């Protein structure tokens, strides 16, 4: 049963509009995330072309996300998020229309991937900066937990809905262009709907930041993170964690399933267990409350040390169920920490700087993910998958111990909400 505070949050009109619009939009995103790869493969059947399309969507997010956060701070996250939704809707409707008119081409798929990546570079940081202006500060962690939990739920349910649309076939052989166009059009309509819900949200005014020019504003955001020693320490530490964890989960896990666990069904079980654990952790993120805020840094390092041990154990498994159990606990801890970390940053950083702070945080993961994946792939030419998981876990454990002994992270407490810095 929901607690009284959960009920109070769900009775908040602003949060209901954000949560409902976000759920519809995130479900719609899954249609494009499935349809775009299928479009490329339908046109070429070439994995390299697919890799280029994925890179064209991901690269602008990594490169432009800090600029997107700067613009969100400069012109308000609500306005930037709204424009991003309209841009996504226009791109997807144009793509759907051209497919319906039989103008499908690889160049069109590449252009759409690039345009969607650019739009998301501005929408993502705006979306993470908007919540502190929409809900009471006392409800921020619960709001983050519910919002992220809904996102995780959409990652589980959305692909199933998209698969129903993409199940329309020509001659029983391949997904039809009409079905692909329908998938893109559905996603476009969800962006239009979520833009409408966003217009219903009444944001609290924030203190205006002195405009210094776009690039000076960007530099000011970087300088703010650098001057805040606990924030700087955590960002550096999270960069190390991202490098040691993301590659093994993205690259080595499929190899583990292929070599030891009899292939794709086992991989689906492992990924499903991790996703379910992540959802449970996000929904449980309100547990701990004041105690967690007092011991934020120590809890962060302790959880990462446990994840490190779980990764080392993952390299030794011989059955899919053992792996699923380990990954469910890993997901539980990571889901819990994601909400706690987002809330800590949102409370610590002044609203006028929050877009840049969140953009830098997410840029760390977006930028390091391909590097970690490439390094993992290269290492798997020389190491067994078990050795790689053990080595990655050991390095993560060493990073957590080093951070505990050599930095101020263990002494960091949760921050109260701020209006200026």
């Amino acid at each position: 049963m929901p607690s009284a505070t959960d009920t109070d949050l769900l009775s908040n009109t602003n949060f209901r509009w954000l949560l409902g619009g976000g759920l519809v939009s995130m479900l719609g995103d899954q249609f494009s995330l499935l349809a775009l790869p299928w479009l490329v493969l339908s046109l070429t059947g070439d994995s390299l072309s697919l890799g280029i399309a994925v890179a064209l969507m991901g690269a602008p997010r990594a490169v432009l996300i800090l600029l997107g956060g700067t613009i969100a701070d400069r012109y308000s996250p609500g306005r930037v998020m709204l424009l991003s939704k309209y841009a996504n809707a226009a791109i997807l409707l144009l793509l759907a229309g051209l497919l319906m008119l039989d103008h499908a081409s690889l160049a069109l798929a590449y252009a759409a991937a690039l345009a969607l990546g650019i739009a998301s570079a501005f929408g993502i940081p705006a979306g993470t900066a908007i919540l502190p202006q929409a809900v009471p500060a006392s409800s921020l962690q619960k709001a983050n937990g519910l919002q992220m939990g809904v996102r995780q739920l959409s990652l589980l349910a959305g692909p199933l809905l998209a698969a129903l649309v993409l199940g329309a076939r020509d001659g029983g052989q391949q997904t039809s262009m009409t079905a692909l166009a329908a998938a893109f059009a559905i996603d476009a309509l969800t962006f239009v709907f979520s833009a409408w819900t966003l217009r219903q949200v009444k944001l609290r005014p924030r203190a205006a930041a002195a405009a210094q020019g776009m690039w000076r504003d960007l530099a000011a955001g970087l300088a703010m993170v650098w001057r805040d020693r606990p924030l700087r320490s955590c960002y550096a530490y999270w960069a190390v964690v991202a490098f040691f964890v993301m590659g093994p989960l993205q690259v080595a896990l499929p190899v583990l399933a292929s070599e030891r666990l009899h292939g794709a069904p086992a991989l689906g079980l492992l990924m499903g267990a991790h996703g379910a654990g992540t959802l449970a952790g996000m929904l449980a993120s309100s547990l701990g409350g004041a105690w967690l805020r007092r011991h934020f840094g120590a809890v962060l390092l302790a959880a990462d040390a446990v994840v490190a041990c779980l990764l080392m154990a993952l390299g030794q498994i011989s059955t899919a169920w053992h792996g699923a159990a380990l990954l469910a606990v890993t997901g539980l801890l990571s889901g819990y920490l994601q909400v706690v970390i987002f809330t800590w940053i949102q409370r610590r950083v002044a609203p006028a700087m929050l877009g840049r702070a969140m953009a830098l945080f997410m840029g760390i993961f977006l930028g390091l993910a391909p590097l970690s994946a490439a390094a993992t792939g290269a290492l798997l030419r020389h190491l067994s998958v078990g050795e790689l998981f053990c080595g990655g876990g050991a390095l993560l454990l060493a990073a957590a111990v080093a951070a505990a002994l050599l930095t101020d992270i263990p002494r960091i407490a949760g921050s109260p909400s701020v209006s200026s810095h």
Side-chain angles (χ1 to χ4, degrees), residues 41-326:
L41 290 175
S42 297
L43 292 169
T44 67
D46 178 25
S47 60
L48 176 60
S49 298
L50 176 57
I52 293 172
V54 172
L56 284 171
M57 183 178 286
R61 281 190 290 226
V63 173
L64 297 176
I65 195 167
L66 188 54
L67 178 61
T70 303
I71 291 175
D73 286 340
R74 190 179 180 92
Y75 297 107
S76 97
R79 188 184 309 173
V80 172
M81 189 176 177
L82 190 64
L83 291 175
S84 173
K85 288 181 180 294
Y86 287 143
N88 276 289
I91 294 163
L92 291 165
L93 283 175
L94 179 60
L95 177 59
L98 290 172
L99 292 180
M100 290 294 292
L101 294 172
D102 200 25
H103 292 308
S105 69
L106 185 59
L108 175 64
Y110 283 169
L114 180 63
L116 291 170
I118 292 172
S120 67
F122 294 88
I124 291 173
T128 58
I130 200 172
L131 198 59
Q133 288 183 257
V135 302
S138 59
S139 301
L140 189 57
Q141 183 154 320
K142 290 183 176 64
N144 275 317
L146 285 173
Q147 201 170 56
M148 291 184 187
V150 162
R151 177 173 182 79
Q152 188 65 25
L153 186 62
S154 75
L155 294 175
L156 298 174
L160 298 177
L161 296 175
L164 294 176
V165 173
L166 295 176
R169 299 174 183 275
D170 284 332
Q173 296 301 314
Q174 62 180 5
T175 301
S176 70
M177 287 299 161
T178 301
L180 291 170
F184 291 123
I186 289 170
D187 192 11
L189 293 176
T190 66
F191 273 113
V192 172
F193 176 79
S194 64
W196 176 75
T197 62
L198 181 59
R199 293 181 69 90
Q200 314 310 309
V201 177
K202 307 299 181 186
L203 299 179
R204 291 192 300 273
R206 59 176 190 169
Q212 310 176 72
M214 189 65 66
W215 299 111
R216 287 189 178 182
D217 283 351
L218 192 153
L222 294 174
M224 178 275 298
V225 173
W226 181 259
R227 288 194 302 267
D228 188 329
R229 185 173 175 178
L231 198 62
R232 182 180 74 206
S233 298
C234 284
Y235 275 36
Y237 172 71
W238 289 326
V240 174
V241 171
F243 189 80
F244 289 145
V245 172
M246 296 183 74
L249 290 180
Q250 291 177 340
V251 178
L253 196 61
V255 175
L256 178 69
S258 174
E259 291 184 356
R260 295 189 189 175
L261 308 176
H262 313 297
L267 179 60
L269 176 64
L270 296 179
M271 293 179 66
H274 187 265
T278 301
L279 174 60
M282 289 173 171
L283 295 179
S285 60
S286 60
L287 301 176
W291 182 88
L292 175 64
R293 285 196 292 273
R294 290 195 301 271
H295 302 90
F296 168 80
V299 170
L300 174 70
L301 296 179
D304 283 340
V306 173
V307 169
C309 295
L310 292 172
L311 287 177
M312 287 189 279
L314 191 62
Q316 310 306 312
I317 65 167
S318 56
T319 69
W321 288 107
H322 290 158
L326 293 171

